Amino acid sequence: MQNDPELNQNGKYLGTITKDFVVVADTLKEAAYQVKKRGFSEFPIFPIAKTEIPIGQKLIGKEDMAVNWNYYITYIDEFVQRQLIENEEAFKQAYKNPDEFCCLFVVEPDFTNFLFVPYPEEE
């Protein structure tokens, strides 16, 4: 479950995701921390889409922070229940440290995949 080479080559998604991520990173990092701290899951996932989607709870709307994507929050359990993750153990092994990386689930008509984005370094 590496970052998809199609995404890296295609730039059209990576550019808008990266631009938005700078704006929303602190909010997403705090939300991931709260999910873990409150015992909901060790595997927070942030589905993102330019339209409304029925996965997770909306955390940040495009209009809320003037970004290109809507950000939702959920965790591994919902993905397993919806059969979006077939092999839970393989996903857990591929999952990167949520204190350092944000697990995004990009939902677009021609690209749907997981993407791990490092949080900006704290200064």
Side-chain angles (χ1 to χ4, degrees):
M1 198 167 336
Q2 301 301 313
N3 288 343
D4 193 304
E6 176 186 331
L7 182 73
N8 294 331
Q9 292 169 359
N10 190 333
K12 76 176 187 178
Y13 294 118
L14 195 54
T16 62
I17 291 169
T18 304
K19 186 174 148 193
D20 275 11
F21 194 73
V22 172
V23 176
V24 300
D26 289 344
T27 302
L28 300 184
K29 188 172 187 177
E30 177 62 23
Y33 171 77
Q34 291 298 330
V35 164
K36 289 176 28 192
K37 178 182 171 191
R38 295 179 182 183
F40 294 123
S41 178
E42 290 295 312
F43 303 93
I45 301 171
F46 297 94
I48 68 171
K50 292 186 177 180
T51 59
E52 299 290 321
I53 57 173
I55 304 171
Q57 297 281 86
K58 188 188 268 188
L59 183 64
I60 301 168
K62 294 190 295 188
E63 63 287 343
D64 297 336
M65 295 180 93
V67 290
N68 294 298
W69 300 83
N70 291 309
Y71 291 80
Y72 297 78
I73 184 168
T74 188
Y75 27 91
I76 192 171
D77 300 357
E78 181 175 0
F79 275 73
V80 171
Q81 289 169 1
R82 290 177 177 262
Q83 298 177 335
L84 296 169
I85 293 175
E86 293 176 3
N87 186 332
E88 185 175 351
E89 285 311 309
F91 180 83
K92 286 179 177 179
Q93 288 179 358
Y95 191 90
K96 298 186 181 217
N97 180 343
D99 294 331
E100 296 176 18
F101 290 87
C102 183
C103 178
L104 300 177
F105 182 68
V106 182
V107 179
E108 274 289 286
D110 55 347
F111 181 85
T112 301
N113 209 339
F114 288 97
L115 177 66
F116 292 92
V117 181
Y119 288 112
E121 295 286 324
E122 292 184 19
E123 300 186 17

